Amino acid sequence: EPEVTQTPSHQVTQMGQEVILRCVPISNHLYFYWYRQILGQKVEFLVSFYNNEISEKSEIFDDQFSVERPDGSNFTLKIRSTKLEDSAMYFCASSGIPYGYTFGSGTRLTVV
Amino acid sequence: GIQVEQSPPDLILQEGANSTLRCNFSDSVNNLQWFHQNPWGQLINLFYIPSGTKQNGRLSATTVATERYSLLYISSSQTTDSGVYFCAVGVDYKLSFGAGTTVTVRA
């Protein structure tokens, strides 16, 4: 079964540093997403991406966040200057139509 | 935004027991999925079920879209069924997740 692949599985970074989380969506999918889950809390929507532009973003997705599809296969989430409260599990997802998501295994980001 | 309520919040089962998890949502949706989050944090897609009934092995799900609820049935539970079960609903690009039901299956 096709998978969404995320790297790294765990990243530790110092507060104020930039991080890039990487995802390889399912190859024939057209819609891409980032979600996050702070430990013990709900999974929250961050951003959706279609046709090389952001379709929708949440209030969490402020100027510190950006997304990019640099080469037609990877989909990245960049956090410019990490804060302690950015510590969370970040999930990438993709879908062939705006339904039926497949999620990746997540990247656990720890900001120290 | 769409409100999603899951019940019960916690469920403890003896191995072999059956159970029903419920998801209520506040508005019409065209996407509803059930996920299992395993102890390693991975979100495993169980069902894409905006309406109707589906079955996959010991798991089945029913969504009654007109009444805005969905049910997930676990039959003959096993210890590997332990984890958090999330219902997520949405319209077009965005999914809203419920708070989850934490299931513990004891041997």
Side-chain angles (χ1 to χ4, degrees), chain A residues 13-21 54 57 60-68 76-83 86 90 109 111:
Chain A
T13 189
Q14 290 210 323
M15 193 168 51
Q17 295 296 303
E18 175 183 284
V19 295
I20 297 176
L21 310 183
I54 291 173
K57 59 184 181 179
I60 302 168
F61 194 88
D62 61 21
D63 292 344
Q64 293 296 315
F65 292 88
S66 62
V67 290
E68 193 177 35
T76 62
L77 174 69
K78 182 192 293 185
I79 309 174
R80 263 181 267 284
S81 177
T82 50
K83 304 188 268 288
D86 294 327
Y90 288 81
L109 177 66
V111 182

PDB file of all heavy atoms in Angstrom, chain A residues 13-21 54 57 60-68 76-83 86 90 109 111:
ATOM      1  N   THR A  13      15.969  20.494  18.535  1.00  0.00           N
ATOM      2  CA  THR A  13      16.569  21.744  18.082  1.00  0.00           C
ATOM      3  C   THR A  13      16.570  22.755  19.212  1.00  0.00           C
ATOM      4  O   THR A  13      15.761  22.667  20.149  1.00  0.00           O
ATOM      5  CB  THR A  13      15.814  22.310  16.867  1.00  0.00           C
ATOM      6  OG1 THR A  13      16.544  23.415  16.330  1.00  0.00           O
ATOM      7  CG2 THR A  13      14.424  22.793  17.254  1.00  0.00           C
ATOM      8  N   GLN A  14      17.474  23.699  19.124  1.00  0.00           N
ATOM      9  CA  GLN A  14      17.532  24.750  20.140  1.00  0.00           C
ATOM     10  C   GLN A  14      16.554  25.853  19.784  1.00  0.00           C
ATOM     11  O   GLN A  14      16.340  26.180  18.597  1.00  0.00           O
ATOM     12  CB  GLN A  14      18.942  25.322  20.220  1.00  0.00           C
ATOM     13  CG  GLN A  14      19.934  24.332  20.813  1.00  0.00           C
ATOM     14  CD  GLN A  14      21.049  25.042  21.548  1.00  0.00           C
ATOM     15  OE1 GLN A  14      21.497  26.098  21.111  1.00  0.00           O
ATOM     16  NE2 GLN A  14      21.512  24.476  22.643  1.00  0.00           N
ATOM     17  N   MET A  15      15.972  26.459  20.784  1.00  0.00           N
ATOM     18  CA  MET A  15      15.054  27.568  20.608  1.00  0.00           C
ATOM     19  C   MET A  15      15.710  28.651  19.738  1.00  0.00           C
ATOM     20  O   MET A  15      16.893  28.966  19.904  1.00  0.00           O
ATOM     21  CB  MET A  15      14.719  28.142  21.980  1.00  0.00           C
ATOM     22  CG  MET A  15      13.563  29.081  22.032  1.00  0.00           C
ATOM     23  SD  MET A  15      13.040  29.411  23.734  1.00  0.00           S
ATOM     24  CE  MET A  15      14.540  29.854  24.529  1.00  0.00           C
ATOM     25  N   GLY A  16      14.937  29.155  18.782  1.00  0.00           N
ATOM     26  CA  GLY A  16      15.450  30.184  17.896  1.00  0.00           C
ATOM     27  C   GLY A  16      16.047  29.656  16.595  1.00  0.00           C
ATOM     28  O   GLY A  16      16.271  30.426  15.661  1.00  0.00           O
ATOM     29  N   GLN A  17      16.300  28.360  16.539  1.00  0.00           N
ATOM     30  CA  GLN A  17      16.853  27.768  15.320  1.00  0.00           C
ATOM     31  C   GLN A  17      15.751  27.500  14.305  1.00  0.00           C
ATOM     32  O   GLN A  17      14.572  27.331  14.639  1.00  0.00           O
ATOM     33  CB  GLN A  17      17.575  26.464  15.646  1.00  0.00           C
ATOM     34  CG  GLN A  17      18.811  26.643  16.517  1.00  0.00           C
ATOM     35  CD  GLN A  17      19.880  27.463  15.819  1.00  0.00           C
ATOM     36  OE1 GLN A  17      20.335  27.116  14.731  1.00  0.00           O
ATOM     37  NE2 GLN A  17      20.268  28.572  16.417  1.00  0.00           N
ATOM     38  N   GLU A  18      16.170  27.412  13.042  1.00  0.00           N
ATOM     39  CA  GLU A  18      15.252  27.053  11.957  1.00  0.00           C
ATOM     40  C   GLU A  18      15.243  25.539  11.790  1.00  0.00           C
ATOM     41  O   GLU A  18      16.284  24.894  11.915  1.00  0.00           O
ATOM     42  CB  GLU A  18      15.730  27.710  10.662  1.00  0.00           C
ATOM     43  CG  GLU A  18      14.928  27.305   9.417  1.00  0.00           C
ATOM     44  CD  GLU A  18      15.515  27.932   8.161  1.00  0.00           C
ATOM     45  OE1 GLU A  18      15.312  29.142   7.946  1.00  0.00           O
ATOM     46  OE2 GLU A  18      16.160  27.185   7.371  1.00  0.00           O
ATOM     47  N   VAL A  19      14.071  24.988  11.534  1.00  0.00           N
ATOM     48  CA  VAL A  19      13.982  23.558  11.226  1.00  0.00           C
ATOM     49  C   VAL A  19      13.186  23.365   9.940  1.00  0.00           C
ATOM     50  O   VAL A  19      12.299  24.159   9.624  1.00  0.00           O
ATOM     51  CB  VAL A  19      13.329  22.737  12.366  1.00  0.00           C
ATOM     52  CG1 VAL A  19      14.185  22.760  13.606  1.00  0.00           C
ATOM     53  CG2 VAL A  19      11.932  23.211  12.654  1.00  0.00           C
ATOM     54  N   ILE A  20      13.530  22.311   9.227  1.00  0.00           N
ATOM     55  CA  ILE A  20      12.781  21.922   8.035  1.00  0.00           C
ATOM     56  C   ILE A  20      12.359  20.469   8.207  1.00  0.00           C
ATOM     57  O   ILE A  20      13.202  19.587   8.399  1.00  0.00           O
ATOM     58  CB  ILE A  20      13.616  22.087   6.760  1.00  0.00           C
ATOM     59  CG1 ILE A  20      13.976  23.555   6.552  1.00  0.00           C
ATOM     60  CG2 ILE A  20      12.834  21.567   5.543  1.00  0.00           C
ATOM     61  CD1 ILE A  20      14.892  23.812   5.365  1.00  0.00           C
ATOM     62  N   LEU A  21      11.068  20.254   8.148  1.00  0.00           N
ATOM     63  CA  LEU A  21      10.522  18.899   8.216  1.00  0.00           C
ATOM     64  C   LEU A  21      10.159  18.472   6.800  1.00  0.00           C
ATOM     65  O   LEU A  21       9.564  19.239   6.052  1.00  0.00           O
ATOM     66  CB  LEU A  21       9.286  18.868   9.124  1.00  0.00           C
ATOM     67  CG  LEU A  21       9.456  19.505  10.503  1.00  0.00           C
ATOM     68  CD1 LEU A  21       8.174  19.336  11.321  1.00  0.00           C
ATOM     69  CD2 LEU A  21      10.648  18.959  11.233  1.00  0.00           C
ATOM     70  N   ILE A  54      -0.870  27.620  -1.205  1.00  0.00           N
ATOM     71  CA  ILE A  54      -1.624  27.311  -0.005  1.00  0.00           C
ATOM     72  C   ILE A  54      -3.120  27.457  -0.293  1.00  0.00           C
ATOM     73  O   ILE A  54      -3.566  28.484  -0.822  1.00  0.00           O
ATOM     74  CB  ILE A  54      -1.195  28.231   1.158  1.00  0.00           C
ATOM     75  CG1 ILE A  54       0.226  27.874   1.602  1.00  0.00           C
ATOM     76  CG2 ILE A  54      -2.169  28.130   2.318  1.00  0.00           C
ATOM     77  CD1 ILE A  54       0.813  28.810   2.632  1.00  0.00           C
ATOM     78  N   LYS A  57      -5.115  27.889   5.543  1.00  0.00           N
ATOM     79  CA  LYS A  57      -4.209  27.777   6.677  1.00  0.00           C
ATOM     80  C   LYS A  57      -4.945  28.169   7.943  1.00  0.00           C
ATOM     81  O   LYS A  57      -5.912  28.933   7.912  1.00  0.00           O
ATOM     82  CB  LYS A  57      -2.960  28.647   6.495  1.00  0.00           C
ATOM     83  CG  LYS A  57      -3.247  30.120   6.316  1.00  0.00           C
ATOM     84  CD  LYS A  57      -1.950  30.887   6.055  1.00  0.00           C
ATOM     85  CE  LYS A  57      -2.251  32.374   5.905  1.00  0.00           C
ATOM     86  NZ  LYS A  57      -1.004  33.166   5.674  1.00  0.00           N
ATOM     87  N   ILE A  60      -2.803  29.061  13.587  1.00  0.00           N
ATOM     88  CA  ILE A  60      -1.506  28.630  14.114  1.00  0.00           C
ATOM     89  C   ILE A  60      -0.405  28.917  13.095  1.00  0.00           C
ATOM     90  O   ILE A  60       0.733  29.241  13.441  1.00  0.00           O
ATOM     91  CB  ILE A  60      -1.522  27.111  14.406  1.00  0.00           C
ATOM     92  CG1 ILE A  60      -2.621  26.745  15.390  1.00  0.00           C
ATOM     93  CG2 ILE A  60      -0.166  26.635  14.911  1.00  0.00           C
ATOM     94  CD1 ILE A  60      -2.858  25.255  15.489  1.00  0.00           C
ATOM     95  N   PHE A  61      -0.729  28.804  11.838  1.00  0.00           N
ATOM     96  CA  PHE A  61       0.243  28.914  10.740  1.00  0.00           C
ATOM     97  C   PHE A  61       0.545  30.386  10.497  1.00  0.00           C
ATOM     98  O   PHE A  61       0.012  31.009   9.556  1.00  0.00           O
ATOM     99  CB  PHE A  61      -0.327  28.249   9.488  1.00  0.00           C
ATOM    100  CG  PHE A  61       0.688  28.001   8.408  1.00  0.00           C
ATOM    101  CD1 PHE A  61       1.422  26.835   8.399  1.00  0.00           C
ATOM    102  CD2 PHE A  61       0.899  28.923   7.390  1.00  0.00           C
ATOM    103  CE1 PHE A  61       2.348  26.585   7.389  1.00  0.00           C
ATOM    104  CE2 PHE A  61       1.815  28.690   6.384  1.00  0.00           C
ATOM    105  CZ  PHE A  61       2.541  27.522   6.386  1.00  0.00           C
ATOM    106  N   ASP A  62       1.401  30.951  11.361  1.00  0.00           N
ATOM    107  CA  ASP A  62       1.727  32.380  11.241  1.00  0.00           C
ATOM    108  C   ASP A  62       2.983  32.560  10.388  1.00  0.00           C
ATOM    109  O   ASP A  62       3.429  31.623   9.705  1.00  0.00           O
ATOM    110  CB  ASP A  62       1.871  32.998  12.631  1.00  0.00           C
ATOM    111  CG  ASP A  62       2.988  32.361  13.446  1.00  0.00           C
ATOM    112  OD1 ASP A  62       3.892  31.738  12.847  1.00  0.00           O
ATOM    113  OD2 ASP A  62       2.963  32.494  14.675  1.00  0.00           O
ATOM    114  N   ASP A  63       3.556  33.746  10.434  1.00  0.00           N
ATOM    115  CA  ASP A  63       4.694  34.072   9.562  1.00  0.00           C
ATOM    116  C   ASP A  63       5.943  33.246   9.860  1.00  0.00           C
ATOM    117  O   ASP A  63       6.890  33.266   9.072  1.00  0.00           O
ATOM    118  CB  ASP A  63       5.037  35.561   9.685  1.00  0.00           C
ATOM    119  CG  ASP A  63       3.952  36.428   9.097  1.00  0.00           C
ATOM    120  OD1 ASP A  63       3.113  35.892   8.331  1.00  0.00           O
ATOM    121  OD2 ASP A  63       3.923  37.640   9.395  1.00  0.00           O
ATOM    122  N   GLN A  64       5.960  32.557  10.996  1.00  0.00           N
ATOM    123  CA  GLN A  64       7.112  31.713  11.317  1.00  0.00           C
ATOM    124  C   GLN A  64       7.117  30.414  10.511  1.00  0.00           C
ATOM    125  O   GLN A  64       8.125  29.718  10.446  1.00  0.00           O
ATOM    126  CB  GLN A  64       7.105  31.358  12.813  1.00  0.00           C
ATOM    127  CG  GLN A  64       7.347  32.535  13.728  1.00  0.00           C
ATOM    128  CD  GLN A  64       8.737  33.119  13.520  1.00  0.00           C
ATOM    129  OE1 GLN A  64       9.724  32.398  13.426  1.00  0.00           O
ATOM    130  NE2 GLN A  64       8.828  34.420  13.430  1.00  0.00           N
ATOM    131  N   PHE A  65       5.972  30.085   9.927  1.00  0.00           N
ATOM    132  CA  PHE A  65       5.827  28.832   9.195  1.00  0.00           C
ATOM    133  C   PHE A  65       5.793  29.103   7.688  1.00  0.00           C
ATOM    134  O   PHE A  65       5.262  30.128   7.236  1.00  0.00           O
ATOM    135  CB  PHE A  65       4.519  28.130   9.577  1.00  0.00           C
ATOM    136  CG  PHE A  65       4.466  27.606  10.988  1.00  0.00           C
ATOM    137  CD1 PHE A  65       4.027  28.410  12.029  1.00  0.00           C
ATOM    138  CD2 PHE A  65       4.848  26.307  11.268  1.00  0.00           C
ATOM    139  CE1 PHE A  65       3.972  27.926  13.330  1.00  0.00           C
ATOM    140  CE2 PHE A  65       4.789  25.807  12.559  1.00  0.00           C
ATOM    141  CZ  PHE A  65       4.350  26.616  13.601  1.00  0.00           C
ATOM    142  N   SER A  66       6.340  28.167   6.934  1.00  0.00           N
ATOM    143  CA  SER A  66       6.187  28.214   5.480  1.00  0.00           C
ATOM    144  C   SER A  66       6.213  26.788   4.944  1.00  0.00           C
ATOM    145  O   SER A  66       6.735  25.873   5.596  1.00  0.00           O
ATOM    146  CB  SER A  66       7.279  29.062   4.823  1.00  0.00           C
ATOM    147  OG  SER A  66       8.548  28.498   5.062  1.00  0.00           O
ATOM    148  N   VAL A  67       5.603  26.602   3.785  1.00  0.00           N
ATOM    149  CA  VAL A  67       5.606  25.305   3.131  1.00  0.00           C
ATOM    150  C   VAL A  67       6.107  25.469   1.708  1.00  0.00           C
ATOM    151  O   VAL A  67       5.988  26.542   1.109  1.00  0.00           O
ATOM    152  CB  VAL A  67       4.214  24.633   3.119  1.00  0.00           C
ATOM    153  CG1 VAL A  67       3.805  24.186   4.505  1.00  0.00           C
ATOM    154  CG2 VAL A  67       3.174  25.533   2.500  1.00  0.00           C
ATOM    155  N   GLU A  68       6.643  24.357   1.199  1.00  0.00           N
ATOM    156  CA  GLU A  68       7.206  24.412  -0.144  1.00  0.00           C
ATOM    157  C   GLU A  68       7.165  23.015  -0.742  1.00  0.00           C
ATOM    158  O   GLU A  68       7.269  22.014  -0.036  1.00  0.00           O
ATOM    159  CB  GLU A  68       8.662  24.902  -0.059  1.00  0.00           C
ATOM    160  CG  GLU A  68       9.281  25.293  -1.363  1.00  0.00           C
ATOM    161  CD  GLU A  68      10.693  25.824  -1.184  1.00  0.00           C
ATOM    162  OE1 GLU A  68      11.412  25.339  -0.305  1.00  0.00           O
ATOM    163  OE2 GLU A  68      11.064  26.732  -1.952  1.00  0.00           O
ATOM    164  N   THR A  76       7.749  20.279   2.110  1.00  0.00           N
ATOM    165  CA  THR A  76       8.462  20.629   3.335  1.00  0.00           C
ATOM    166  C   THR A  76       7.694  21.641   4.162  1.00  0.00           C
ATOM    167  O   THR A  76       6.943  22.471   3.628  1.00  0.00           O
ATOM    168  CB  THR A  76       9.860  21.194   3.030  1.00  0.00           C
ATOM    169  OG1 THR A  76       9.717  22.389   2.271  1.00  0.00           O
ATOM    170  CG2 THR A  76      10.709  20.197   2.263  1.00  0.00           C
ATOM    171  N   LEU A  77       7.912  21.570   5.476  1.00  0.00           N
ATOM    172  CA  LEU A  77       7.410  22.563   6.413  1.00  0.00           C
ATOM    173  C   LEU A  77       8.623  23.190   7.086  1.00  0.00           C
ATOM    174  O   LEU A  77       9.449  22.477   7.664  1.00  0.00           O
ATOM    175  CB  LEU A  77       6.504  21.920   7.462  1.00  0.00           C
ATOM    176  CG  LEU A  77       6.022  22.831   8.592  1.00  0.00           C
ATOM    177  CD1 LEU A  77       5.031  23.871   8.075  1.00  0.00           C
ATOM    178  CD2 LEU A  77       5.370  22.011   9.713  1.00  0.00           C
ATOM    179  N   LYS A  78       8.732  24.512   7.006  1.00  0.00           N
ATOM    180  CA  LYS A  78       9.838  25.212   7.641  1.00  0.00           C
ATOM    181  C   LYS A  78       9.302  26.046   8.784  1.00  0.00           C
ATOM    182  O   LYS A  78       8.289  26.750   8.634  1.00  0.00           O
ATOM    183  CB  LYS A  78      10.547  26.120   6.635  1.00  0.00           C
ATOM    184  CG  LYS A  78      11.753  26.854   7.230  1.00  0.00           C
ATOM    185  CD  LYS A  78      12.283  27.964   6.322  1.00  0.00           C
ATOM    186  CE  LYS A  78      12.888  27.465   5.062  1.00  0.00           C
ATOM    187  NZ  LYS A  78      13.503  28.567   4.271  1.00  0.00           N
ATOM    188  N   ILE A  79       9.995  25.945   9.922  1.00  0.00           N
ATOM    189  CA  ILE A  79       9.716  26.834  11.044  1.00  0.00           C
ATOM    190  C   ILE A  79      10.943  27.700  11.207  1.00  0.00           C
ATOM    191  O   ILE A  79      12.049  27.196  11.458  1.00  0.00           O
ATOM    192  CB  ILE A  79       9.425  26.062  12.349  1.00  0.00           C
ATOM    193  CG1 ILE A  79       8.346  24.990  12.112  1.00  0.00           C
ATOM    194  CG2 ILE A  79       8.954  27.027  13.439  1.00  0.00           C
ATOM    195  CD1 ILE A  79       8.093  24.087  13.307  1.00  0.00           C
ATOM    196  N   ARG A  80      10.770  29.012  11.049  1.00  0.00           N
ATOM    197  CA  ARG A  80      11.925  29.915  10.928  1.00  0.00           C
ATOM    198  C   ARG A  80      12.686  30.082  12.233  1.00  0.00           C
ATOM    199  O   ARG A  80      13.888  30.032  12.249  1.00  0.00           O
ATOM    200  CB  ARG A  80      11.470  31.291  10.434  1.00  0.00           C
ATOM    201  CG  ARG A  80      11.639  31.472   8.957  1.00  0.00           C
ATOM    202  CD  ARG A  80      11.188  32.850   8.516  1.00  0.00           C
ATOM    203  NE  ARG A  80       9.793  32.843   8.094  1.00  0.00           N
ATOM    204  CZ  ARG A  80       9.368  32.355   6.935  1.00  0.00           C
ATOM    205  NH1 ARG A  80      10.204  31.840   6.083  1.00  0.00           N
ATOM    206  NH2 ARG A  80       8.087  32.399   6.618  1.00  0.00           N
ATOM    207  N   SER A  81      12.022  30.310  13.305  1.00  0.00           N
ATOM    208  CA  SER A  81      12.669  30.560  14.594  1.00  0.00           C
ATOM    209  C   SER A  81      11.857  29.830  15.645  1.00  0.00           C
ATOM    210  O   SER A  81      10.835  30.338  16.117  1.00  0.00           O
ATOM    211  CB  SER A  81      12.716  32.067  14.869  1.00  0.00           C
ATOM    212  OG  SER A  81      13.287  32.327  16.146  1.00  0.00           O
ATOM    213  N   THR A  82      12.296  28.635  15.983  1.00  0.00           N
ATOM    214  CA  THR A  82      11.471  27.756  16.825  1.00  0.00           C
ATOM    215  C   THR A  82      11.326  28.299  18.246  1.00  0.00           C
ATOM    216  O   THR A  82      12.241  28.915  18.806  1.00  0.00           O
ATOM    217  CB  THR A  82      12.074  26.353  16.872  1.00  0.00           C
ATOM    218  OG1 THR A  82      13.473  26.445  17.189  1.00  0.00           O
ATOM    219  CG2 THR A  82      11.902  25.634  15.550  1.00  0.00           C
ATOM    220  N   LYS A  83      10.144  28.026  18.801  1.00  0.00           N
ATOM    221  CA  LYS A  83       9.839  28.375  20.185  1.00  0.00           C
ATOM    222  C   LYS A  83       9.570  27.076  20.954  1.00  0.00           C
ATOM    223  O   LYS A  83       9.291  26.031  20.356  1.00  0.00           O
ATOM    224  CB  LYS A  83       8.613  29.282  20.248  1.00  0.00           C
ATOM    225  CG  LYS A  83       8.725  30.559  19.422  1.00  0.00           C
ATOM    226  CD  LYS A  83       7.561  31.489  19.685  1.00  0.00           C
ATOM    227  CE  LYS A  83       6.407  31.295  18.750  1.00  0.00           C
ATOM    228  NZ  LYS A  83       6.664  31.766  17.386  1.00  0.00           N
ATOM    229  N   ASP A  86       6.506  25.156  20.072  1.00  0.00           N
ATOM    230  CA  ASP A  86       6.445  24.454  18.791  1.00  0.00           C
ATOM    231  C   ASP A  86       6.734  22.956  18.944  1.00  0.00           C
ATOM    232  O   ASP A  86       6.594  22.191  17.982  1.00  0.00           O
ATOM    233  CB  ASP A  86       7.446  25.038  17.789  1.00  0.00           C
ATOM    234  CG  ASP A  86       7.099  26.463  17.380  1.00  0.00           C
ATOM    235  OD1 ASP A  86       5.887  26.779  17.319  1.00  0.00           O
ATOM    236  OD2 ASP A  86       8.033  27.250  17.144  1.00  0.00           O
ATOM    237  N   TYR A  90       4.563  16.453  14.280  1.00  0.00           N
ATOM    238  CA  TYR A  90       4.086  17.069  13.044  1.00  0.00           C
ATOM    239  C   TYR A  90       3.801  15.963  12.031  1.00  0.00           C
ATOM    240  O   TYR A  90       4.667  15.144  11.734  1.00  0.00           O
ATOM    241  CB  TYR A  90       5.129  18.051  12.495  1.00  0.00           C
ATOM    242  CG  TYR A  90       5.208  19.307  13.329  1.00  0.00           C
ATOM    243  CD1 TYR A  90       5.945  19.337  14.513  1.00  0.00           C
ATOM    244  CD2 TYR A  90       4.522  20.466  12.950  1.00  0.00           C
ATOM    245  CE1 TYR A  90       5.997  20.489  15.292  1.00  0.00           C
ATOM    246  CE2 TYR A  90       4.568  21.618  13.716  1.00  0.00           C
ATOM    247  CZ  TYR A  90       5.302  21.623  14.888  1.00  0.00           C
ATOM    248  OH  TYR A  90       5.354  22.756  15.662  1.00  0.00           O
ATOM    249  N   LEU A 109       9.102  16.800  17.009  1.00  0.00           N
ATOM    250  CA  LEU A 109       9.998  17.949  17.155  1.00  0.00           C
ATOM    251  C   LEU A 109      10.068  18.337  18.623  1.00  0.00           C
ATOM    252  O   LEU A 109       9.035  18.566  19.255  1.00  0.00           O
ATOM    253  CB  LEU A 109       9.497  19.139  16.331  1.00  0.00           C
ATOM    254  CG  LEU A 109      10.308  20.426  16.462  1.00  0.00           C
ATOM    255  CD1 LEU A 109      11.706  20.239  15.880  1.00  0.00           C
ATOM    256  CD2 LEU A 109       9.599  21.589  15.771  1.00  0.00           C
ATOM    257  N   VAL A 111      11.849  21.157  21.021  1.00  0.00           N
ATOM    258  CA  VAL A 111      12.590  22.418  21.081  1.00  0.00           C
ATOM    259  C   VAL A 111      13.087  22.599  22.512  1.00  0.00           C
ATOM    260  O   VAL A 111      12.289  22.552  23.459  1.00  0.00           O
ATOM    261  CB  VAL A 111      11.711  23.603  20.657  1.00  0.00           C
ATOM    262  CG1 VAL A 111      12.531  24.905  20.682  1.00  0.00           C
ATOM    263  CG2 VAL A 111      11.135  23.373  19.266  1.00  0.00           C
TER     264      VAL A 111
END
